[in-house]
């Protein structure tokens, strides 16, 4: 009976809780109705300035297509379009009337010249003109087999092959002394920190150039980066825990000793063995996380390449490809470093799978970037990549410090600091090879 | 490394990629949907609204097809709040209410009202303008040398204005120091002298603002012995700065960009044409006029009956003007435009359509040929359909006499 009463109490209190939680919301909606309702003029202060954002410009056969969005506070009527400040009759789909955040496609018949800069202008009914420039006009890629295989080949060159080349360092790293190994491990961390920062800077650039203030681009970057970091941290911890539990099971089975699988209750005879197993499980997880993180990063790189082709921002030179190749080779190194000293069995097959996880997203990125470029999608991917990379760096450093009795001292040792610094420096140096 | 771990990790990876695809497609999907619009509509056998848009002044330019709206920056047809009816303005001369004073001098009374108006300065683009009698440019005022001109100026605008006439007159009639506040009025009185081509405009500071917002018009003083009969027309070269950045967005002759390209000025072969050409263009240092396939006699400021020059291009700074006389030897369409190509491309272009002895055949041929893309009906009553909103103008200007040309 007592139990039932308790339950009843809990039930009523729950109802109460819901009502209490809803009261402020009801008051708030009442206030919104009051402010926005008919006849209210309190909010009509000042003149709302219109804003049109030109998100993308495509050069097609004998026409220029601009993708625009009304990012101002109110609806607008688009009146005219111009190329290089010379008005030209154009079509606008679906309609010239754009409500807030609505988008439209403006099609201007125009014989453009490849490689020449152009400015597209949009004038709205009150005479305000918004414009966007393209550095060099280039025919927009159309999604066909030829173009898709072209992007695939570029993706393989700049993404897949370099990472696989980097994996060839595995035997070398495996044979290094512990100090030198630490150097290379922290070098990996340095490389990754650079890539993470690079991704954030890149996405910030996209926000500034292509995304209207209405979308709060910078906050979006920070939010996605942090969320990715936390989600991956949680997932990888779970992953390692599971692996450990399994290995614990194996140990207990083989030793025919029963003990709790809880990590807190460790027994002295098993500790060494268990640690060994843990050491094997964790580097693999880290390597896999690195591969995924780099994969996302390379996805962003692919997007950048595809979008650059689409937007006519860069001429894809062999220099660009060589630059990316050198730059990305270091990513392979980053993947193999944590596994090298684990002592576990590392098959070539596993290595190749990781290399492909890291490399293939470049191709997918190039397809999406080239055929369906969207600045919002681009910054989301880059931010996810950044979050993933920072999580990996966190895993590496915490793993390195967990193996010693004095974590602080270990982190500040000469090989660690030197490796980290050299890692960043290598990335910076190779990034100079990529024309931007 | 267990198998389940690999599965977990690859699951993670695929979920990331799936999310990425979804986001990309979401952002791309609307475009694709728009692209497919035409097809789906055709499939459903509903009426597909598809318009051909030409990227220039006629055939030969690139065209596109669109299921959406047309942003037509060139053709001003089907517009209602135009700054002016350029075709009416072209040959409209206001001679005022005529009476005679005791000593036998002709007195010409005019009424001009300054008013604020939101006008369509270019197709789809509106500007808060300041006007004389509701149009840009204001009405053309015409008198004969020696006449007494009386202009009752009423300021119904929201800012103080004046009327400053070029010509010879007393200081207090100069429209500089007598500032007319909103709701106020003033009567300017002066003798029309000397003969020539002049202009009037508001002289309030900031002058740049008061002129660029539309307060100007043409003032013609005829010599006592009239010039030879001709098909006379007024052309005012101006511009509009819609975004108020100190640069003109549009350039026009007689108020509307590109208007005469699609409503050619019809003239007769071998007939003397006289153009009263005035440059009031704000912000830009110069402006000019170029006539195709012909040359004209040029009378600078119109103050002499002897031409200064026989040329095909004349260049003015702001406030300069002159009279052009020419006739066409061959029938057909001929362009006239600013030879400053930027101005031409931003609207300062037009066409003369030279007719062979009143025959309509060329007009028809022209309509069927090059004008097929923009098919304005070229006939004499094309323009009357658009003048319905301009009725107020006639009540404001007190015409004693109004004529179409001086022939």
């Amino acid at each position: 009976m007592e139990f039932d009463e308790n339950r009843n109490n809990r039930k009523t209190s729950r109802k109460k809780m819901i009502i209490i939680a809803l009261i402020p919301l009801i008051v708030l909606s009442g206030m919104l109705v009051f402010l926005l309702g008919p006849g209210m003029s309190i909010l009509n202060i000042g003149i709302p300035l219109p804003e049109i954002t030109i998100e993308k410009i495509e050069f097609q056969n004998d026409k220029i297509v601009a993708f625009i969005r009304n990012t101002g506070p109110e609806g607008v009527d688009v009146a005219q379009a111009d190329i290089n400040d010379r008005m030209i009759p154009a079509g606008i789909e679906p309609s010239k009337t754009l409500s807030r955040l609505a988008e439209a496609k403006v099609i201007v018949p125009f014989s453009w010249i490849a490689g020449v800069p152009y400015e597209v202008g949009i004038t709205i009914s009150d005479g305000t003109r918004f414009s966007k420039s393209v550095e060099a006009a280039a025919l927009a890629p159309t999604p066909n087999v030829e173009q898709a295989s072209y992007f695939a080949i570029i993706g393989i060159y700049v993404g897949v092959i370099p990472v696989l080349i980097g994996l060839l360092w595995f035997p070398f790293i495996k044979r290094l002394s512990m100090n030198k190994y630490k150097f290379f491990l922290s070098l990996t961390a340095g490389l990754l920190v650079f890539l993470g920062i690079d991704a954030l800077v890149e996405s910030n650039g996209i926000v500034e150039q292509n995304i209207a203030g209405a979308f709060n681009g910078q906050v979006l970057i920070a939010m996605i980066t942090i969320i990715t970091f936390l989600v991956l941290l949680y997932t990888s911890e779970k992953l390692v825990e599971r692996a450990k539990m399994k290995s614990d099971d194996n140990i207990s089975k083989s030793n025919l000793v029963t003990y709790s699988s809880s990590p807190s209750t460790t027994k002295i005879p098993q500790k060494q063995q268990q640690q060994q197993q843990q050491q094997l499980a964790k580097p693999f997880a880290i390597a896999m996380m690195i591969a995924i993180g780099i994969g996302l990063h390379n996805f962003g790189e692919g997007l950048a390449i595809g979008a650059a082709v689409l937007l006519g921002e860069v001429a894809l030179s062999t220099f660009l490809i060589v630059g990316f190749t050198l730059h990305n080779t270091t990513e392979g190194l980053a993947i193999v470093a944590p596994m090298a000293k684990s002592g576990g069995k590392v098959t070539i097959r596993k290595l190749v799978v990781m290399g492909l996880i890291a490399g293939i997203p470049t191709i997918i990125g190039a397809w999406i970037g080239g055929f369906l470029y969207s600045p919002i999608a681009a910054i989301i991917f880059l931010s996810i990549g950044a979050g993933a990379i920072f999580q990996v760096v966190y895993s590496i450093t915490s793993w390195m410090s967990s193996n010693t009795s004095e974590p602080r001292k270990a982190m500040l040792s000469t090989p660690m600091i030197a490796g980290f610094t050299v890692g960043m420096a290598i990335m910076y140096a190779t990034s100079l090879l990529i024309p931007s | 490394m267990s198998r389940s771990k690999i599965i977990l990790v690859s699951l993670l990876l695929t979920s990331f990629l799936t999310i990425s695809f979804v986001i990309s497609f979401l952002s791309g999907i609307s475009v694709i949907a728009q692209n497919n619009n035409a097809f789906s509509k055709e499939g459903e056998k509903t009426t597909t609204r598809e318009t051909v848009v030409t990227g220039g002044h006629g055939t030969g330019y690139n065209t596109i097809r669109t299921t959406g709206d047309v942003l037509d920056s060139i053709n001003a047809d089907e517009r209602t709040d135009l700054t002016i009816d350029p075709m009416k303005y072209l040959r409209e001369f206001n001679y005022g209410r005529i009476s005679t004073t005791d000593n036998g001098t002709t007195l010409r009374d005019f009424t001009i009202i300054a008013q604020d108006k939101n006008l369509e300065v270019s197709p789809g683009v509106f500007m808060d303008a300041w006007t004389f009698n509701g149009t840009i440019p204001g009405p053309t005022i015409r008198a004969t040398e020696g006449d007494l001109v009386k202009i009752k100026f009423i300021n119904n605008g929201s800012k103080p204005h004046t009327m400053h006439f070029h010509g010879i007159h007393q200081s207090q009639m100069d429209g500089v120091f007598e500032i007319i506040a909103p709701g106020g009025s003033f009567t300017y009185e002066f003798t029309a002298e000397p003969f020539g081509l002049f202009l009037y405009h508001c002289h309030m500071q900031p002058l740049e603002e008061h002129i660029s917002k539309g307060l100007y018009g043409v003032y013609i003083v005829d010599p006592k012995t009239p010039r030879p009969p001709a098909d006379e027309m007024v052309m005012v070269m101006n511009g509009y700065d819609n975004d108020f950045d100190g640069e003109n967005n549009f350039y026009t002759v007689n108020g509307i960009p590109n208007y005469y390209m699609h409503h050619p000025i019809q003239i007769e072969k071998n007939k003397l044409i006289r153009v009263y050409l005035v440059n009031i263009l704000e912000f830009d240092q110069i402006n000019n006029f170029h006539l195709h396939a012909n040359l004209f006699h040029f009378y600078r400021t119109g103050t002499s009956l002897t031409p200064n020059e026989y040329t095909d291009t004349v260049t003015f700074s702001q406030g300069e003007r002159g009279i052009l006389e020419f006739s066409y030897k061959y029938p057909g369409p001929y362009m006239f435009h600013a030879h400053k190509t930027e101005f031409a491309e931003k609207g300062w272009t037009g066409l003369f359509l030279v007719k062979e002895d009143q025959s309509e055949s060329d007009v028809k041929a022209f309509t069927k040929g090059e004008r097929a893309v923009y098919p304005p009906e070229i006939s004499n009553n094309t323009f009357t359909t658009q003048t319905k909103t301009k009725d107020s103008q006639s009540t404001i200007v007190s015409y004693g006499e109004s004529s179409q040309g001086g022939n």
Side-chain angles (χ1 to χ4, degrees), chain A residues 279-299:
Chain A
Q279 267 176 5
L280 178 66
K282 194 143 188 185
F284 252 114
I286 289 177
M288 188 53 93
M289 297 312 292
I290 291 180
I292 294 170
I294 286 176
L296 282 166
H297 169 84
N298 284 349
F299 184 84

Side-chain angles (χ1 to χ4, degrees), chain A residues 79-80 85-87 89-90 92-93 95-96 103 105 107 110-111 125 243 246 288 292 364 368 372 374 381, chain B residues 4-5 9 20-21 24 27 30 35 54 62 64 66-69 71 122-124 126 250 342 345-346 374:
Chain A
Q80 299 190 0
D85 204 18
R86 301 291 180 272
M87 47 189 170
I92 182 166
E93 295 169 359
S95 166
K96 66 180 177 182
E103 59 182 354
K105 193 168 101 171
I107 311 149
F110 192 85
S111 286
S125 59
K246 240 183 192 165
M288 188 53 93
I292 294 170
I364 301 164
I368 293 178
L372 291 166
S374 140
F381 292 127
Chain B
S4 65
K5 230 177 295 164
V9 167
S20 62
F21 270 115
S24 305
S27 42
S30 51
N35 287 344
T54 307
N62 290 330
I64 54 138
T66 180
T67 51
D69 290 329
L71 301 178
S122 181
F126 292 81
F250 304 102
E342 181 195 350
E345 286 185 318
K346 288 179 177 176
Y374 288 105

